[in-house]
Amino acid sequence: MNGVLTASGKVIEPLRESMMMDDKARALSRVGVVDVGSNSIRLVVFEGAARSPAYFFNEKVMAGLGQKMAETGRLNPQGVERGFEALRRFAVLAEGMKVKPLSCVATAAVRDAEDGPEFRKRVEKELGLKLLVVDGEEEARLSAQGVLLGWPEASGLVCDIGGNSMELAVLKDGKVGKCATSQLGPFRLQQVAGGKAGLRDYIKKTMQELAEEVGTDHQCIYLVGGSWRAIARLDIERVGYPMTVLHEYRMRPQAVGQTVKWILENDPEELRKSVGIGSARMELVPLASQVLRELVATFKPRELAVSSYGIREGLLYEHMSKALRKRDPLIEGARFTERQMARMPGFGKKLYKFLQPLFENAKPDRDRLIRAACMLHDTTWRTHPDYRAEACFDNVTRANMAALSHPERVFLGLSLLHRYKNSREDSPMEPIFALLNDRQKQDAEVLGKAMRFGAMFSVKDPSKAGSLKLYPKKKKLELHLTKIGQAMFGEVALSRFESLCKAMEVEPVVVG
């Protein structure tokens, strides 16, 4: 354990040079993290909104550092060379992208291997990269913080699986609780003696030990790691789910059992080809599937949620101020996108205020979607008009956006589609609409048509042109025009106002 950073220690201090610590800061300067895992080595460069960082660059190499390490006690020689070449490339890329700092974190393979220190010294001497090795509990804590970056309100159990280890961390009230580590990584399991029965007993025994450490009262398990994401992608294929976005994809325990059975009964190569999983990753999926099955049997969660955020995002979260952590990632991301891509940054906030009379009774979860939609309503204006509506929908449903469930993604996307298009009939995106019920689709249409009207009602501020008054009992929507509004209110504006009222099933009334 010499040179290994423990859960009680401070981690990755260099990030403080670049991470925005000012509570008023909105933007993040370019920050890079290299994650040296047992199976893969990945470089991620973050940029964008400080509370909702975007992936400026993301590349991985399946080096397999930890392959056969359980048997030899040493890093895989071929993996060492592949890993070293990957790190050489990453160092040059980071320099070219002017990344500062570039923080390098190593986990199970490097910390447990007999020649781990030797590998670290070589990397530092020849490439100038300092590998900071974290122990199992610290790895669990950082992965859990990555989940918090994506889900500020996350509560449950985080399960991070790598090639040589599997970590658990308890999340409650926005804080990380008990952490535990195990050797349930697929590379380790390949070396378990006793055949199928021996493997099954080993997984069950280890899982029971983990349960004693962290408890079993967890309604949701957040799954972190490439093997879990591969299984989730196969589950999407099996059930015919209409979206392929993995982050926030949710599975019920029964569905997990059915998918694991399906994976173990079918040809791995055929499954791999059907969804485009890499060979190196697919090799570990059958063993990871058995671990997942026992995880569900032991902890009995109500649901499992896939997280694309883990240790790398956890390092960023580590150095966020408390005030920054409290911000809504969705709103921060939408605000940053508007600033970068809209014709008139800041108009979204004015549009939101103008439309508030229509949504006075909106609950907080719906209100944040309305606010985000208003900020995003003009961010695809450069797209050809024939494709603008679908581009809006596609951007939101597939984008790397945090704190947004799949139905919320579709609601936001559908509202933006209707901002540019009256009807959603015959849309190529129609299968995805099925994630919403009829009422939600109707509400998204109303929001979209409200933005469609408000966005063209005034150049700078729609409230300078008029105001809206809704009378729900009378089923009437009044538009009160100012002098500026009277000049702005032509036949196109009238048509869009009437279209909004039709969607709301109210009578349109224009005053002034």
Side-chain angles (χ1 to χ4, degrees):
M1 294 291 287
N2 184 35
V4 177
L5 297 177
T6 64
S8 60
K10 290 291 183 182
V11 180
I12 318 305
E13 194 66 25
L15 273 180
R16 290 190 180 276
E17 297 174 12
S18 189
M19 193 67 200
M20 291 293 187
M21 297 302 295
D22 183 350
D23 290 348
K24 296 181 180 179
R26 296 290 182 185
L28 175 72
S29 58
R30 208 166 289 170
V31 177
V33 177
V34 174
D35 179 5
V36 182
S38 300
N39 195 22
S40 66
I41 297 178
R42 186 187 293 267
L43 166 65
V44 178
V45 178
F46 298 97
E47 198 177 69
R51 184 57 185 84
S52 184
Y55 295 92
F56 180 82
F57 184 85
N58 190 344
E59 182 177 310
K60 73 175 178 181
V61 173
M62 302 298 285
L65 275 177
Q67 199 166 24
K68 296 185 179 179
M69 200 182 82
E71 181 181 346
T72 66
R74 298 177 64 84
L75 295 172
N76 171 22
Q78 291 78 24
V80 167
E81 295 309 314
R82 290 194 67 190
F84 187 82
E85 291 307 312
L87 291 171
R88 186 199 302 276
R89 169 176 163 78
F90 291 166
V92 175
L93 285 170
E95 183 179 0
M97 289 183 280
K98 298 181 180 180
V99 172
K100 186 180 180 183
L102 177 64
S103 298
C104 305
V105 183
T107 53
V110 177
R111 74 171 173 249
D112 294 340
E114 179 184 316
D115 54 345
E118 179 184 328
F119 179 72
R120 290 170 56 208
K121 288 177 183 177
R122 180 187 173 192
V123 169
E124 184 169 4
K125 181 180 178 180
E126 297 185 34
L127 304 180
L129 301 178
K130 185 176 182 180
L131 292 185
L132 297 168
V133 184
V134 294
D135 72 1
E137 290 191 13
E138 179 67 353
E139 184 178 355
R141 188 183 71 84
L142 289 171
S143 292
Q145 288 193 160
V147 171
L148 287 175
L149 185 142
W151 283 291
E153 305 299 324
S155 181
L157 186 69
V158 175
C159 180
D160 182 358
I161 193 167
N164 272 290
S165 67
M166 188 187 82
E167 281 70 40
L168 298 178
V170 177
L171 282 180
K172 189 175 182 180
D173 300 325
K175 295 180 181 179
V176 184
K178 291 181 180 179
C179 297
T181 185
S182 72
Q183 294 189 338
L184 285 178
F187 283 154
R188 294 277 186 180
L189 297 178
Q190 287 174 346
Q191 309 305 319
V192 173
K196 292 182 179 180
L199 178 63
R200 184 173 59 251
D201 291 344
Y202 176 81
I203 294 174
K204 186 173 184 178
K205 179 177 179 293
T206 306
M207 202 68 74
Q208 289 295 333
E209 292 171 352
L210 289 170
E212 290 175 9
E213 288 191 64
V214 300
T216 57
D217 186 21
H218 310 289
Q219 296 297 308
C220 181
I221 295 180
Y222 298 89
L223 300 174
V224 176
S227 293
W228 294 153
R229 290 193 296 273
I231 293 171
R233 181 63 187 87
L234 289 165
D235 185 73
I236 286 173
E237 179 72 9
R238 184 185 69 82
V239 302
Y241 189 73
M243 285 177 65
T244 57
V245 175
L246 290 172
H247 185 63
E248 254 282 14
Y249 179 64
R250 295 184 177 248
M251 299 179 287
R252 295 289 183 180
Q254 184 179 2
V256 170
Q258 292 169 349
T259 295
V260 168
K261 184 173 183 291
W262 180 67
I263 290 172
L264 297 178
E265 289 178 349
N266 282 276
D267 179 17
E269 182 62 15
E270 291 301 316
L271 293 178
R272 184 191 75 78
K273 289 179 180 178
S274 69
V275 295
I277 298 172
S279 298
R281 176 66 67 196
M282 191 65 204
E283 183 183 349
L284 306 183
V285 165
L287 285 170
S289 297
Q290 295 178 62
V291 175
L292 183 59
R293 180 170 57 192
E294 191 59 41
L295 179 75
V296 169
T298 301
F299 289 92
K300 297 179 174 56
R302 183 177 296 174
E303 66 176 356
L304 299 95
V306 178
S307 173
S308 294
Y309 300 162
I311 189 170
R312 296 173 293 273
E313 292 75 15
L315 290 169
L316 294 185
Y317 191 86
E318 175 82 2
H319 298 291
M320 288 181 181
S321 66
K322 289 183 179 179
L324 185 55
R325 290 179 181 182
K326 289 181 180 178
R327 292 183 193 164
D328 187 332
L330 172 62
I331 300 303
E332 293 299 303
R335 181 182 286 113
F336 185 88
T337 301
E338 181 191 32
R339 189 182 304 124
Q340 296 293 312
M341 301 176 68
R343 283 173 289 191
M344 299 190 68
F347 183 84
K349 184 177 182 179
K350 296 171 184 176
L351 178 61
Y352 167 75
K353 288 183 177 180
F354 174 70
L355 298 178
Q356 268 194 316
L358 307 183
F359 309 107
E360 284 183 347
N361 297 322
K363 294 181 180 179
D365 285 350
R366 176 58 57 81
D367 182 69
R368 65 193 290 269
L369 296 180
I370 296 169
R371 289 178 63 196
C374 287
M375 284 187 276
L376 294 170
H377 86 279
D378 190 45
T379 54
T380 57
W381 67 274
R382 290 181 183 273
T383 306
H384 189 282
D386 290 350
Y387 304 102
R388 203 170 286 160
E390 278 71 24
C392 279
F393 184 88
D394 202 49
N395 284 351
V396 170
T397 53
R398 298 178 188 273
N400 177 54
M401 301 182 76
L404 201 61
S405 70
H406 281 195
E408 287 173 334
R409 280 178 183 269
V410 178
F411 179 90
L412 187 55
L414 187 55
S415 69
L416 291 168
L417 183 148
H418 277 295
R419 181 262 180 264
Y420 285 108
K421 194 174 182 180
N422 244 340
S423 174
R424 60 180 176 272
E425 289 184 10
D426 301 321
S427 169
M429 313 297 184
E430 194 167 356
I432 305 179
F433 301 162
L435 294 182
L436 301 180
N437 60 37
D438 289 343
R439 176 60 188 272
Q440 290 168 330
K441 284 185 270 193
Q442 176 69 14
D443 289 349
E445 180 179 346
V446 168
L447 173 56
K449 291 186 174 181
M451 292 189 294
R452 184 171 170 82
F453 165 66
M456 58 81 63
F457 184 47
S458 171
V459 176
K460 290 185 178 180
D461 185 349
S463 68
K464 302 295 183 184
S467 59
L468 294 168
K469 254 187 184 178
L470 177 64
Y471 297 92
K473 292 183 178 179
K474 296 181 180 179
K475 290 196 171 185
K476 182 170 66 173
L477 177 61
E478 289 185 354
L479 172 62
H480 293 256
L481 299 174
T482 64
K483 287 185 178 180
I484 294 175
Q486 290 171 11
M488 296 287 293
F489 196 71
E491 61 180 66
V492 177
L494 174 61
S495 174
R496 293 189 178 181
F497 180 62
E498 290 177 340
S499 178
L500 166 63
C501 291
K502 183 178 180 181
M504 295 179 66
E505 298 180 346
V506 296
E507 176 190 353
V509 178
V510 180
V511 181

